[in-house]
């Protein structure tokens, strides 16, 4: 192509370089955020009102528990990873690794607690033995959702929107398919374990592209100073966690309150 032709196409290339990241960002946002909503609509359609009430009430508790163990680290990870762009990829991956370690530790502990005390949680939150089996799925759902949130934040901070969009589309398709099949052939308990498995698949889909960088970061984390990375994440996370914990539990509290009334499962499902 001639020099004149290159100059003529330059504005179009610049426009494309600005438009593509925005397009992939929008696609990744829609793909990754839509899975729980689509799965809920599918479950509402395929499960009876009582079973969907149990499904929705349990998911409300799981999402609130995820925010508790997240403690704002998803937001602070985006900020710190993006801020570390000038320092190079290794710095970004060190931040990602510390965030994942903190989140995995907290969510793993909560997952173990749910596995052992879900019977007591059903009585405490819903005053219903019907919620014992549904809440057991939180042992997998909560850690998977926490990892998904952090890994998504890392990819956003790195501006790897094309990778995030591809992972989101694949993960959402698997998540919704699993919930649909479970709701069609089973009950709320099976649908919840399908949702937990789908969340684990989604977490793996966004975490696997980071695997090589995380391994390299682990090799020099001891000399780089994990404490300073953690302190930096905490400083940004505290305000974000306060804001999220004020608003996020509202839906779970409403569902738990409805569940305590006569015909609570149906009330929660209708709500």
């Amino acid at each position: 192509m001639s020099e004149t032709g290159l100059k003529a196409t330059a504005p179009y290339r610049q426009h494309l370089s600005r438009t593509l990241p925005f397009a992939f960002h929008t696609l990744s946002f829609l793909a990754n955020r839509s899975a729980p909503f689509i799965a809920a609509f599918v479950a509402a359609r395929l499960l009876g009102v009582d079973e969907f009430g149990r499904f929705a009430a349990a998911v409300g508790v799981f999402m609130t528990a995820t925010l508790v163990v997240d403690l704002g680290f998803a937001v602070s990870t985006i900020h710190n990873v993006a801020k570390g762009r000038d320092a190079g990829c290794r710095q970004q991956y060190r931040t990602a690794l510390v965030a994942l370690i903190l989140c995995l530790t907290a969510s793993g502990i909560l997952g173990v607690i749910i596995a052992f005390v879900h019977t007591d949680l059903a009585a405490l939150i819903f005053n219903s033995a019907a919620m014992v089996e549904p809440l057991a799925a939180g042992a997998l759902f909560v850690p998977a959702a926490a990892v998904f949130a952090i890994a998504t934040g890392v990819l956003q901070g790195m501006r790897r929107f094309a990778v995030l969009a591809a992972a989101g589309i694949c993960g959402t398709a698997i998540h919704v398919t699993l919930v649909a099949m479970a709701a069609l052939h089973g009950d709320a308990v099976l649908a919840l374990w399908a949702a937990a498995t789908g969340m684990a698949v989604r977490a793996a889909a966004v975490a696997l592209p980071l695997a090589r960088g995380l391994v390299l970061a682990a090799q020099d984390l001891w000399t780089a100073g994990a404490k300073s990375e953690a302190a930096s994440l905490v400083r940004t996370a505290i305000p974000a966690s306060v804001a999220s914990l004020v608003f996020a539990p509202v839906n779970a509290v409403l569902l738990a309150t409805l569940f305590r009334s006569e015909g609570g499962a149906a009330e929660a499902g209708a709500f």
Side-chain angles (χ1 to χ4, degrees):
M1 185 180 290
S2 65
E3 185 176 349
T4 303
L6 288 173
K7 289 181 178 178
T9 59
Y12 296 102
R13 292 199 303 271
Q14 291 174 0
H15 177 71
L16 190 64
S17 67
R18 291 193 297 267
T19 304
L20 277 178
F22 175 77
F24 281 125
H25 178 268
T26 303
L27 182 59
S28 68
F29 179 85
L30 293 174
N32 286 292
R33 297 286 184 175
S34 63
F37 296 105
I38 297 174
F41 283 123
V42 169
R45 180 69 177 171
L46 297 176
L47 294 171
V49 65
D50 285 352
E51 290 298 311
F52 179 65
R54 297 168 70 196
F55 179 90
V59 169
V61 171
F62 298 163
M63 296 308 296
T64 301
T66 301
L67 286 170
V68 170
V69 297
D70 171 81
L71 292 174
F73 282 116
V75 175
S76 63
T77 299
I78 299 173
H79 175 268
N80 282 26
V81 169
K83 188 174 66 175
R85 191 178 299 120
D86 293 337
C89 288
R90 290 186 82 106
Q91 173 61 42
Q92 290 181 305
Y93 278 112
R94 281 197 296 270
T95 300
L97 182 60
V98 172
L100 281 168
I101 290 172
L102 291 171
C103 189
L104 266 174
T105 301
S107 62
I109 291 171
L110 185 56
V112 171
I113 291 172
I114 291 173
F116 282 99
V117 302
H118 58 275
T119 301
D120 297 324
L121 287 175
L124 177 66
I125 298 173
F126 297 104
N127 192 30
S128 172
M131 289 302 295
V132 172
E133 289 186 82
L135 286 182
L140 174 61
F141 192 105
V142 173
V147 172
F148 173 78
I150 296 299
T152 299
V154 174
L155 289 173
Q156 288 175 336
M158 291 180 173
R159 300 179 62 85
R160 297 175 64 180
F161 299 127
V163 173
L164 192 54
I169 292 170
C170 294
T172 295
I174 294 172
H175 183 112
V176 174
T177 300
L178 288 173
V179 173
M181 295 300 295
L184 185 63
H185 298 288
D187 56 6
V189 175
L190 187 61
L192 283 164
W193 277 107
T197 303
M199 184 60 74
V201 170
R202 294 170 66 206
V206 292
L208 282 175
L210 303 171
R212 183 178 179 184
L214 292 174
V215 170
L216 293 175
Q219 295 173 0
D220 60 5
L221 186 61
W222 299 110
T223 59
K227 287 185 178 179
S228 62
E229 290 285 352
S232 179
L233 285 165
V234 169
R235 282 194 298 270
T236 313
I238 290 174
S241 65
V242 172
S244 64
L245 290 175
V246 168
F247 296 103
V250 171
N251 194 50
V253 171
L254 285 172
L255 288 169
T257 303
L258 287 170
F259 224 96
R260 289 172 174 269
S261 63
E262 186 177 352
E267 291 286 341
F271 173 77

